[in-house]
Amino acid sequence: MSKKDLSAGRQALREALRELEQTALRSRTRTEAIDAANRRLEQAGLAKLGPTTVGGWFETGSPAKDFRSLWALVRVLLEWSGQRPADTLTGPSRGQATARWMATEALWKTRWERAKDTRPRTAAPTNAPLVVAYLTAARDAARQHPYPGLLGAPSLPTLADVYVRQQARTPQDSPSNGPAPRNQAGPTVPATEVFQEGATTCVLQGGPGGGKSTLLRAHLADSARSWLSGTTGKTIPVMVSASALTGTDPLPTALAKAVTGDLRQVGLLDELGADFFRHPPRTGVSWLVLLDGLDEIPDVDARSAVLTMLASATGTGPYGFVVATRPLPEGELGALGRHIPRYELQPFSPHDLLTYATHWFRPLDDPGRHAKKFMAGLKRSRLEVLARTPLMASMLCQLYAADPARPLPDGRTGAYELFVELIYEQNSHKQVASTHDKAIRELKDRYQIPRDNEAVEQAAQRVRYHLPELIDHLAYERINGSTAPAVEVLASHPQASRPRKVRQQLWNSFLTDLLRPTGILTQRADDFDFLHQTLLEYHAARHATRDEQARTQLLHDLIASSPARTQPP
């Protein structure tokens, strides 16, 4: 049977099997692989494989009657290719290997299902309303700023009102750009090229606060709006945090959980199950997964597992990927393949920044005059270069709009200090002080013995008094790789130690009530995240330099980890 006579699903299964076998069978034979698979099938009480049946898989992509039979052989070949079984590992490596095996099994099951189905795949009629519900919720969510809690003010303009489109460059060493002299960047292109229909996977790199999340949201909003208005395309975008893919769930399940959780807040009523993301959303249409914040996964092995999952799904499942990240160490992104396009998001030009400021100052009288005054203030405060970063531009525009008569802060640290103060000021509608008063009162009033009541109140007030330092401590732990729940990190600090009479669950609930209205953190599911990675870094730096001893230790650590220390004197 010629290749053109095979269905697309059978072709994909056949090619995947042949490629895997070529990698696995270095000094062994297919017969040996079948024997090893049969030993596993026999232990599971399943029928053994014969060479004729397996030959059909490799020649025509004919699917096994039972997926477990195919998976037994594939697993043997994967292990022979170097993918270690999870039960041979320990510690974090075991969990990461388990996640990798589960993702790989889900991928091969999708290949098997597609090979079984020789009919053209169409979206089931019952799925169409769910796709519309998803697009509606995704559009509404994408209209919001990536970090709405940063902005505080109730009369916040929509993302579309202030958004300024950016440019991107193809790095000089990117395979898509071909050979180029060292230190010579590729051409400047509209940043929206990262979403081009022909690419299955690409990487979007940019510095802290460089506009990566905003670009992804803007595309999601535009695409969802187009689909809902009847303009179709080849992809439907779905945005998810990279950290949502670090667990043990296969890709479709992880997407379903993360997206349902995110969109429930904007009115999504129905749960998006794994099947929703396991198959194409429409005939001839793929999911374009916008993966945000790969660099915010602190563990390199966990990042590697996520990249391996994406590489496995690229070109075989109904997925394309745009991976947004800060620059990572050379070689890490190689797991996605050598020929994927890479783009570097460019900062605002001076003209872009002026346009952005004018948009922000629309609520003020004479926005153009305020924008010019703002630009002059940036020059006086030596913030011209920093303000070309979209997040810093947003912060500085808000500082100016809050009090146009006040001079802009001097330098990055001053900007962050004033901005954090502004967050607290603009969160006055949350009545932080009253909320904290109520949380303390409700906790202490559970204890009627005066001595206990007083001890609980003192401990609660101590936490409240030291909350800024505790948030700095949380940031420092996060940036150093801690994934423990925020309340657990706080509870481990001496200033937040739990009174003996208070049960741990009640104390954790109290800590949650103190963190929720601060405006620095946002609650997702049962935990808290910093609103932006740069805010996390700012608070972590405050913790690391909180006193002379801490500054000395930080300097020692920086010197000790410097590459210069490895050089001979």
Side-chain angles (χ1 to χ4, degrees):
M1 183 179 292
S2 66
K3 183 175 180 179
K4 67 179 182 179
D5 295 327
L6 298 177
S7 68
R10 291 197 173 193
Q11 286 183 39
L13 179 61
R14 181 180 72 170
E15 297 308 316
L17 283 168
R18 288 179 173 182
E19 183 177 351
L20 176 60
E21 185 181 55
Q22 186 176 8
T23 304
L25 300 185
R26 295 185 177 89
S27 58
R28 295 167 172 166
T29 65
R30 184 185 296 175
T31 300
E32 290 177 283
I34 294 173
D35 290 341
N38 281 336
R39 287 194 291 272
R40 301 183 183 200
L41 291 170
E42 187 176 16
Q43 291 177 356
L46 299 173
K48 292 184 178 181
L49 296 172
T52 303
T53 298
V54 174
W57 299 352
F58 282 86
E59 295 304 317
T60 65
S62 57
K65 293 181 180 179
D66 190 328
F67 171 72
R68 293 174 294 180
S69 300
L70 173 66
W71 178 240
L73 179 65
V74 167
R75 187 167 182 113
V76 168
L77 295 175
L78 287 168
E79 290 177 5
W80 289 1
S81 300
Q83 187 166 332
R84 294 182 62 183
D87 57 11
T88 65
L89 302 170
T90 59
S93 297
R94 181 166 186 157
Q96 291 154 13
T98 299
R100 188 172 302 175
W101 276 108
M102 291 180 67
T104 305
E105 183 177 3
L107 171 63
W108 280 93
K109 189 168 186 179
T110 298
R111 287 170 173 157
W112 173 72
E113 289 175 343
R114 295 180 120 192
K116 285 179 62 180
D117 189 358
T118 58
R119 301 167 299 170
R121 183 173 295 282
T122 58
T126 55
N127 193 46
L130 193 56
V131 172
V132 172
Y134 161 72
L135 287 168
T136 302
R139 177 201 61 194
D140 293 344
R143 284 173 173 169
Q144 302 173 5
H145 288 267
Y147 310 100
L150 282 174
L151 309 166
S155 57
L156 178 70
T158 65
L159 180 60
D161 288 339
V162 298
Y163 183 56
V164 173
R165 297 188 181 276
Q166 293 173 254
Q167 298 289 304
R169 285 188 186 275
T170 304
Q172 57 88 13
D173 59 346
S174 172
S176 64
N177 197 39
R182 296 296 299 175
N183 302 320
Q184 180 178 326
T188 299
V189 298
T192 51
E193 281 207 8
V194 302
F195 309 114
Q196 58 187 315
E197 301 284 358
T200 55
T201 297
C202 71
V203 172
L204 173 67
Q205 294 178 313
K212 301 181 293 295
S213 299
T214 301
L215 175 64
L216 299 186
R217 279 179 176 268
H219 176 70
L220 178 57
D222 289 346
S223 182
R225 188 165 48 247
S226 295
W227 277 97
L228 291 170
S229 65
T231 304
T232 60
K234 294 183 178 179
T235 61
I236 290 181
V238 52
M239 187 168 174
V240 65
S241 168
S243 61
L245 305 187
T246 56
T248 58
D249 290 323
L251 179 61
T253 305
L255 289 175
K257 289 181 179 179
V259 176
T260 299
D262 289 343
L263 298 186
R264 187 178 291 119
Q265 304 172 42
V266 292
L268 181 70
L269 300 179
D270 298 304
E271 182 176 355
L272 305 176
D275 280 345
F276 184 72
F277 290 110
R278 184 173 287 120
H279 303 296
R282 290 283 188 271
T283 304
V285 177
S286 299
W287 294 109
L288 181 62
V289 180
L290 311 178
L291 194 75
D292 195 22
L294 176 67
D295 58 286
E296 294 175 20
I297 301 173
D299 183 76
V300 63
D301 290 333
R303 289 198 300 269
S304 175
V306 170
L307 292 172
T308 299
M309 178 191 293
L310 302 190
S312 297
T314 298
T316 53
Y319 309 110
F321 300 95
V322 176
V323 181
T325 179
R326 295 186 190 185
L328 292 171
E330 190 66 30
E332 270 199 45
L333 294 172
L336 291 174
R338 295 191 309 168
H339 302 291
I340 60 167
R342 299 185 189 181
Y343 298 87
E344 290 180 349
L345 192 59
Q346 299 300 292
F348 284 154
S349 69
H351 180 266
D352 291 337
L353 182 55
L354 179 61
T355 302
Y356 185 79
T358 304
H359 290 174
W360 260 105
F361 301 149
R362 280 173 182 164
L364 304 178
D365 63 295
D366 196 351
R369 179 179 64 83
H370 281 289
K372 291 178 182 178
K373 181 182 174 185
F374 172 75
M375 297 291 285
L378 292 177
K379 188 173 182 179
R380 284 194 303 272
S381 301
R382 299 172 299 166
L383 289 168
E384 287 177 294
V385 175
L386 285 175
R388 292 177 60 193
T389 300
L391 177 65
M392 184 62 72
S394 172
M395 292 167 53
L396 292 169
C397 283
Q398 291 167 77
L399 287 172
Y400 177 92
D403 186 356
R406 178 176 57 185
L408 289 171
D410 198 19
R412 184 192 300 268
T413 301
Y416 272 102
E417 288 175 351
L418 273 183
F419 190 68
V420 170
E421 291 178 9
L422 181 64
I423 288 176
Y424 280 105
E425 291 173 9
Q426 291 189 338
N427 272 321
S428 59
H429 63 287
K430 293 186 178 181
Q431 299 181 320
V432 178
S434 297
T435 302
H436 287 177
D437 284 340
K438 182 180 178 182
I440 293 172
R441 186 168 57 252
E442 289 183 350
L443 180 65
K444 76 181 185 67
D445 285 351
R446 290 175 172 270
Y447 305 92
Q448 298 303 305
I449 298 175
R451 181 171 53 193
D452 294 341
N453 182 285
E454 182 179 350
V456 170
E457 182 176 14
Q458 287 178 352
Q461 290 288 6
R462 182 173 63 248
V463 176
R464 180 193 200 179
Y465 181 81
H466 290 283
L467 191 58
E469 299 96 281
L470 291 170
I471 290 174
D472 293 346
H473 167 69
L474 172 62
Y476 186 78
E477 293 297 310
R478 283 279 187 265
I479 209 166
N480 281 285
S482 173
T483 57
V487 292
E488 289 186 13
V489 175
L490 261 61
S492 67
H493 193 279
Q495 300 294 354
S497 57
R498 175 176 58 91
R500 184 174 57 85
K501 288 288 185 178
V502 180
R503 297 196 308 274
Q504 188 68 59
Q505 183 179 356
L506 283 175
W507 190 244
N508 287 352
S509 179
F510 166 70
L511 295 176
T512 297
D513 290 340
L514 291 192
L515 288 174
R516 188 180 295 112
T518 60
I520 304 297
L521 300 156
T522 183
Q523 189 166 12
R524 293 192 177 98
D526 296 326
D527 201 8
F528 289 91
D529 291 331
F530 282 83
L531 290 165
H532 193 275
Q533 182 76 359
T534 56
L535 270 182
L536 181 148
E537 291 163 355
Y538 167 70
H539 283 278
R542 290 206 330 176
H543 176 84
T545 57
R546 62 195 179 279
D547 53 40
E548 185 62 34
Q549 181 181 355
R551 284 191 290 273
T552 301
Q553 183 61 47
L554 175 64
L555 182 61
H556 176 272
D557 292 344
L558 289 174
I559 293 175
S561 62
S562 171
R565 295 285 294 178
T566 64
Q567 302 298 322

